[in-house]
């Protein structure tokens, strides 16, 4: 893939590598753009209790400064895009808005990890599925995706069906209407979504989103971008060839790119 808009680094506490190592990895793989998009500082939990989920608040300005330094350093070699994975957490919209609008981002990813204080993407919290209605969790999750899209704070939705990552079994009811409602919200508010490669390595063993959702998104003409969700420099561009094939098979010919919160579509 010529771009990768979803990467992390050591600051979040559960990834490894310096920002520059991710940039160099992308250069080595012949990419034309690399997005730096570490996890937004926690606004719903204390950093002391959860030190390895997101970067500390005091690191945020240092992160931004380093991103822009690398953007300038590698100008002419690769286009570095300065981004953030900005969790959507219902009830914390004002705190999120201050971060999303407080820095000169190229893009902000709208991702849902938390349903309340439950991080549905954290393997250590997979036990919280026990005794829970699977479809009930899906309802809550996709409702949060709709609300994230409506905030106007995000440029694209990250791993739109990540709820499936540790789900213990398929939902007891058809969740297609929930997926459809989420996609309709993304379409209505004119934002994009990503094909995220990390799901391939999770227990669900498929990318985010599923091919079913990807196909429906194409029917709705929702722009798509690609993200490896790399937590190690070597993972930049992971499953890029498979992602390219998957996108081509459902009819996508362009990828969404971002510069100063403005979206452009580039052929791939």
């Amino acid at each position: 893939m010529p771009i990768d808009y979803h990467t992390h680094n050591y600051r979040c506490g559960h990834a490894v590598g310096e920002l520059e190592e991710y940039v160099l990895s992308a250069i080595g793989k012949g990419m034309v753009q690399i997005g730096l998009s570490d996890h937004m500082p926690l606004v719903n939990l204390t950093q002391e209790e959860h030190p390895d989920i997101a970067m500390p608040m005091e690191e945020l300005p240092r992160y931004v400064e380093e991103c822009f330094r690398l953007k300038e350093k590698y100008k002419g070699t690769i286009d570095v895009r300065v981004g953030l994975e900005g969790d959507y957490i219902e009830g914390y919209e004002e705190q999120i808005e201050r971060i999303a609008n407080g820095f000169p981002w190229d893009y902000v990813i709208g991702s849902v990890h938390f349903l309340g204080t439950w991080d549905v993407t954290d393997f250590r919290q997979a036990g919280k599925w026990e005794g829970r209605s699977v479809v009930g969790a899906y309802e809550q999750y996709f409702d949060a995706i709709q609300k994230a899209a409506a905030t106007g704070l995000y440029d694209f939705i990250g791993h739109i069906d990540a709820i499936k990552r540790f789900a213990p079994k398929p939902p007891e009811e058809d969740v297609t209407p929930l997926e459809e409602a989420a996609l309709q919200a993304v379409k209505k508010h004119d934002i994009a979504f990503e094909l995220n490669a990390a799901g391939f390595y999770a227990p669900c063993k498929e990318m985010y989103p599923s091919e079913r959702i990807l196909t429906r998104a194409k029917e709705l003409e929702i722009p798509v971008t690609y993200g490896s969700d790399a937590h190690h420099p070597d993972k930049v561009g992971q499953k890029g060839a498979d992602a390219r094939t998957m996108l081509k098979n459902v009819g996508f010919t362009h990828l969404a790119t971002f510069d100063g919160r403005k979206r452009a579509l580039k052929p791939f």
Side-chain angles (χ1 to χ4, degrees):
M1 296 293 274
I3 67 170
D4 185 349
Y5 268 75
H6 196 148
T7 62
H8 295 282
N9 71 100
Y10 77 91
R11 281 184 173 89
C12 70
H14 61 276
V16 299
E18 300 278 348
L19 286 169
E20 190 163 14
E21 293 180 85
Y22 287 80
V23 175
L24 292 172
S25 179
I27 292 170
K29 293 172 182 176
M31 290 185 170
V32 297
Q33 289 185 23
I34 180 65
L36 306 175
S37 58
D38 207 16
H39 288 284
M40 179 187 80
L42 295 173
V43 296
N44 61 324
L45 300 169
T46 67
Q47 189 73 34
E48 291 72 22
E49 292 176 316
H50 302 275
D52 56 355
I53 291 179
M55 79 172 91
M57 190 67 75
E58 60 269 21
E59 278 294 316
L60 184 58
R62 290 193 280 267
Y63 163 74
V64 175
E65 181 180 359
E66 184 178 358
C67 287
F68 275 98
R69 180 180 61 79
L70 293 170
K71 187 183 184 87
E72 182 64 26
K73 180 176 179 178
Y74 289 98
K75 186 186 296 185
T77 302
I78 190 170
D79 288 330
V80 175
R81 296 292 187 251
V82 180
L84 183 77
E85 185 171 19
D87 281 276
Y88 173 74
I89 307 161
E90 188 172 2
Y92 293 87
E93 289 85 353
E94 288 186 10
Q95 295 94 321
I96 297 167
E97 182 176 7
R98 284 196 289 271
I99 296 172
N101 293 337
F103 295 88
W105 309 112
D106 286 314
Y107 65 98
V108 178
I109 307 172
S111 295
V112 174
H113 297 98
F114 290 96
L115 300 180
T117 59
W118 175 30
D119 183 347
V120 299
T121 67
D122 186 347
F123 71 94
R124 295 165 300 186
Q125 300 184 46
K128 292 187 178 181
W129 279 101
E130 188 174 347
R132 187 184 295 266
S133 164
V134 176
V135 75
Y138 273 65
E139 288 172 349
Q140 189 179 358
Y141 177 86
F142 282 111
D143 179 66
I145 293 288
Q146 293 180 65
K147 289 172 178 171
T151 64
L153 298 175
Y154 306 110
D155 300 288
F156 65 88
I157 296 295
H159 43 60
I160 195 169
D161 60 348
I163 185 67
K164 70 189 179 187
R165 183 175 189 180
F166 295 113
K169 57 187 175 181
E172 56 267 28
E173 299 173 25
D174 180 17
V175 297
T176 305
L178 304 178
E179 299 168 352
E180 177 70 16
L183 288 174
Q184 290 290 348
V186 172
K187 174 68 175 178
K188 176 182 177 181
H189 297 287
D190 190 28
I191 59 177
F193 75 107
E194 70 170 353
L195 180 59
N196 182 305
F200 184 86
Y201 299 98
C204 61
K205 297 191 185 324
E206 67 174 8
M207 293 194 194
Y208 310 118
S210 65
E211 190 166 347
R212 177 180 69 244
I213 296 176
L214 193 66
T215 300
R216 180 58 179 148
K218 180 64 180 70
E219 292 171 353
L220 293 171
E221 299 184 337
I222 300 172
V224 67
T225 193
Y226 160 78
S228 65
D229 211 339
H231 284 66
H232 187 289
D234 291 349
K235 296 296 186 181
V236 170
Q238 65 181 342
K239 290 293 173 182
D242 291 340
R244 184 188 185 94
T245 298
M246 192 173 174
L247 289 167
K248 292 282 191 182
N249 285 347
V250 302
F252 282 102
T253 58
H254 289 68
L255 293 172
T257 62
F258 302 89
D259 187 1
R261 307 301 296 268
K262 293 187 183 339
R263 185 176 74 218
L265 297 179
K266 303 292 185 184
F268 70 98

